Amino acid sequence: MIQLKDIGKTYPPRQGFDGVTALEGVNLTIEKGDIFGIIGRSGAGKSTLLRLVNGLESPTSGQVWVDGEEITRLEERDLRFARQKIGMIFQHFNLLWSRTVWENVAFPLEVAGKSKTEIKRKVDGLLERVGLTDRANAYPSQLSGGQKQRVGIARALANDPKVLLCDEATSALDPETTTSILKLLKEINRETGITLLLITHEMSVVRSICHRVAVMEEGRVIEKGTVKEVFRNPVHPLTRQLVHQTEEEGEGKGLRIRCEAGNFPALWHSLRQAVAGRQVTVRVLEGELNEDGGIVLVLEGDLEQAEKALREAAPDWVEEGGISLVP
Amino acid sequence: MFHEVDWAAVWKAAGETAYMVGISTFFTALFGIPLGILLVITDRGHIREMPWVQKLVAAVVNFFRAVPFIVLVLFLFPLAEWLVGTSLGPTAATIPLIAGAAPFYARIVETALREVDKGVVEAARSMGSTRFQVVTKVLLPEATPALVSGLTVTCVTLISFSAMAGVVGGGGLGDAAFRFGFQSFNDGMLVVCGFLLVVMVQLVQWIGDWVSRQLDKR
């Protein structure tokens, strides 16, 4: 769906500024329906890279292809049509504060010259999809961050794009809201088969929704592959650092266990009683509630106390509880 | 003191001032807004980069802003004869008033448009907007409260300028205060005309503030 071929981007020197190489020798292929993450520190060139895909930036060398069209060769007019099929959401949402939620979502449809009746039908449907029907007449200033990003998502999807670009879309949100926005993006990807390309500096985002990932440093892609591979076997020092970082930040220290989905409700119930007064916190890290799914939990806090709590909650956990320790 | 006030002359003068200020505010907005837009979008890094146009417009605007208003009046009253067929009275006075205020307002418009979040402009472009749509659907609506409060300031300036233009043949409250008040040793007339100008300024400011507040959804 998206192909970046041997991309280079340099900013020429100007009065008072030296020339800067933003991107060098970047090759990426992103399949249709994929959720692809690009991770790197600020200044690594991810933002520029993302903007090449919808032609907001143009490369100094190389080609950008989206859905069989070479973006880098399009005329202004054709580029505008191409952009209508490439949605984009932003870290700071970038909504028009002079327009209501409804009118914000209508914006791209007006731009595309859609009829009034079609705009109405589309906007109503989109607001329902992102769960903001009851806020249709509110102004962005009256919304929470998560709601603003939902408006941003609805707006980006208005013209049924094939690609959705996410520019640090959850970086301005708190962890809970981040989770709900990522969940929404994942659902949309599953429902519509839209290709998601997202840039972030948070490994936890990549880990929770991406299938594939590319790691960038100083304008180059230093590592790429499936998220599992990269997490299991990070080669480059920066990647290792990023992987390590999420383990420290996101998951805390404590006892990690995995239980079968069927046993989860009972375990959760008894664990909550068992940890009371022990200064141990139970957190769900990941999992799927289907037949063969498993849930990974962490009992955060003192290891000894956590073990005691687990034994109390599920005395025969090894044999019957379907619970195992995660290293 | 007030028994000597010629109320008929006062009301006629007040009408002339309102007429002068009304017409020139309208044309100031009409010329100032496009000039302001031009100053912003032709600048480096904006949606229609044209450095030379930007520099030229900026130079013209600065020139008119630098010339003292009284000099504009003296130079442009003759021009009014050619443009509106008379070089006397309130209609003629609108010409230097517009020439003085439009560049002033253009700079206010420029500032207001630059305040619009660059991210929103980028978002609009990412959705495939034309440059024209960026201006009409993003820049202007987002800046409207600032454009209105800026026009209020300009209108207040126009009221005081109109009093000055009046003295050299434009009519209005300034003219009445000078001729029937100051030169005729009629203090009542002077005070009444001055007071009415203050009332006008207050009224304009109050209405402008109210409208701007209503439009501000931030």
Side-chain angles (χ1 to χ4, degrees):
Chain A
M1 179 58 77
I2 305 171
Q3 260 186 307
L4 303 175
K5 293 183 186 167
D6 207 24
I7 298 291
K9 170 89 183 171
T10 50
Y11 292 99
R14 232 167 43 188
Q15 234 179 346
F17 294 97
D18 292 336
V20 182
T21 303
L23 296 169
E24 210 177 344
V26 174
N27 283 290
L28 280 179
T29 302
I30 296 153
E31 300 297 334
K32 189 174 187 316
D34 203 357
I35 303 183
F36 196 103
I38 297 174
I39 188 165
R41 299 252 159 78
S42 49
K46 349 182 256 302
S47 200
T48 310
L49 189 67
L50 192 73
R51 280 161 177 73
L52 292 174
V53 177
N54 62 2
L56 286 176
E57 296 264 6
S58 47
T60 322
S61 61
Q63 302 174 347
V64 179
W65 290 78
V66 177
D67 197 26
E69 255 184 326
E70 192 184 343
I71 295 291
T72 28
R73 290 182 63 156
L74 292 181
E75 298 285 329
E76 171 78 24
R77 188 186 143 81
D78 295 325
L79 184 58
R80 284 204 310 270
F81 288 125
R83 280 176 183 160
Q84 291 174 6
K85 292 288 170 195
I86 305 173
M88 188 167 183
I89 57 175
F90 304 86
Q91 178 174 7
H92 298 295
F93 325 120
N94 296 349
L95 304 176
L96 285 94
W97 61 257
S98 61
R99 288 180 169 228
T100 62
V101 166
W102 201 94
E103 291 163 345
N104 263 289
V105 179
F107 186 98
L109 297 162
E110 289 171 21
V111 164
K114 294 285 185 335
S115 72
K116 281 230 165 75
T117 43
E118 196 179 352
I119 292 178
K120 167 127 184 52
R121 186 179 62 79
K122 271 255 110 141
V123 175
D124 288 346
L126 285 161
L127 286 181
E128 198 182 331
R129 180 63 197 87
V130 300
L132 283 175
T133 306
D134 56 334
R135 303 295 280 155
N137 294 318
Y139 285 92
S141 60
Q142 301 164 314
L143 303 179
S144 68
Q147 288 174 326
K148 283 181 199 160
Q149 195 57 290
R150 282 168 188 272
V151 179
I153 292 171
R155 181 175 73 173
L157 296 176
N159 283 314
D160 300 310
K162 294 171 185 130
V163 174
L164 180 60
L165 308 175
C166 310
D167 181 10
E168 298 272 8
T170 57
S171 299
L173 303 173
D174 62 56
E176 275 165 51
T177 316
T178 296
T179 310
S180 79
I181 292 294
L182 292 178
K183 184 167 157 272
L184 177 64
L185 290 173
K186 208 171 184 172
E187 285 169 9
I188 288 165
N189 164 263
R190 204 175 306 155
E191 287 163 16
T192 64
I194 193 172
T195 309
L196 252 60
L197 175 57
L198 51 98
I199 60 171
T200 180
H201 63 272
E202 295 167 310
M203 204 61 169
S204 55
V205 170
V206 171
R207 185 168 197 159
S208 57
I209 75 164
C210 294
H211 305 144
R212 300 173 72 82
V213 62
V215 185
M216 286 191 72
E217 188 180 38
E218 288 174 4
R220 293 169 171 277
V221 172
I222 53 169
E223 199 158 346
K224 59 187 168 187
T226 66
V227 172
K228 268 186 193 158
E229 277 167 17
V230 171
F231 262 94
R232 199 169 299 153
N233 190 20
V235 180
H236 197 278
L238 174 70
T239 318
R240 279 190 200 166
Q241 210 179 331
L242 288 166
V243 169
H244 188 64
Q245 200 180 324
T246 43
E247 277 168 359
E248 283 202 336
E249 271 176 17
E251 281 134 37
K253 287 182 192 127
L255 190 63
R256 276 220 235 175
I257 53 171
R258 184 180 189 282
C259 85
E260 284 169 17
N263 298 320
F264 176 68
L267 178 71
W268 179 252
H269 187 71
S270 48
L271 258 183
R272 269 179 41 193
Q273 288 171 346
V275 296
R278 282 206 162 91
Q279 299 206 318
V280 174
T281 318
V282 188
R283 289 213 299 149
V284 179
L285 293 185
E286 59 178 37
E288 272 179 59
L289 281 169
N290 54 27
E291 269 173 46
D292 50 30
I295 316 283
V296 179
L297 302 167
V298 62
L299 307 184
E300 274 177 359
D302 183 52
L303 216 64
E304 204 177 316
Q305 289 294 322
E307 266 182 42
K308 274 187 190 164
L310 180 62
R311 224 172 294 139
E312 188 182 312
D316 44 4
W317 56 278
V318 188
E319 300 90 52
E320 289 170 45
I323 298 168
S324 55
L325 287 176
V326 180
Chain B
M1 178 165 104
F2 294 109
H3 61 275
E4 282 177 60
V5 174
D6 178 355
W7 290 101
V10 168
W11 296 128
K12 180 170 173 285
E16 284 169 354
T17 296
Y19 169 82
M20 265 191 286
V21 172
I23 299 269
S24 43
T25 301
F26 175 78
F27 281 98
T28 294
L30 196 71
F31 294 122
I33 291 173
L35 279 174
I37 293 170
L38 212 56
L39 280 171
V40 172
I41 65 170
T42 56
D43 203 5
R44 203 191 286 278
H46 219 286
I47 56 174
R48 189 79 227 215
E49 236 179 77
M50 291 191 287
W52 286 108
V53 175
Q54 214 271 345
K55 286 197 178 101
L56 186 73
V57 176
V60 172
V61 164
N62 284 345
F63 174 80
F64 276 95
R65 288 192 59 199
V67 177
F69 181 67
I70 195 71
V71 177
L72 273 186
V73 168
L74 298 174
F75 270 94
L76 293 182
F77 259 85
L79 183 72
E81 172 123 45
W82 178 67
L83 276 173
V84 293
T86 170
S87 62
L88 270 179
T91 306
T94 57
I95 303 299
L97 284 175
I98 295 163
F104 175 73
Y105 187 52
R107 284 294 186 190
I108 295 181
V109 172
E110 182 193 3
T111 313
L113 297 184
R114 283 190 200 280
E115 291 286 305
V116 174
D117 186 0
K118 283 232 160 118
V120 184
V121 175
E122 188 184 41
R125 294 223 298 134
S126 81
M127 290 181 267
S129 309
T130 61
R131 295 188 179 98
F132 184 73
Q133 284 169 329
V134 170
V135 172
T136 56
K137 284 177 179 288
V138 179
L139 290 180
L140 291 176
E142 292 286 289
T144 301
L147 295 181
V148 170
S149 59
L151 194 61
T152 309
V153 172
T154 311
C155 187
V156 167
T157 312
L158 276 169
I159 293 174
S160 78
F161 277 8
S162 82
M164 226 193 295
V167 178
V168 288
L173 285 168
D175 182 34
F178 184 63
R179 284 197 293 138
F180 308 139
F182 183 73
Q183 288 186 328
S184 318
F185 304 102
N186 184 339
D187 289 346
M189 201 67 181
L190 197 59
V191 170
V192 166
C193 290
F195 178 74
L196 279 182
L197 284 169
V198 172
V199 169
M200 276 189 181
V201 168
Q202 290 291 351
L203 207 64
V204 165
Q205 190 67 50
W206 183 75
I207 293 170
D209 286 349
W210 184 82
V211 173
S212 177
R213 247 197 329 272
Q214 293 306 306
L215 293 168
D216 200 339
K217 309 290 184 196
R218 261 179 299 204

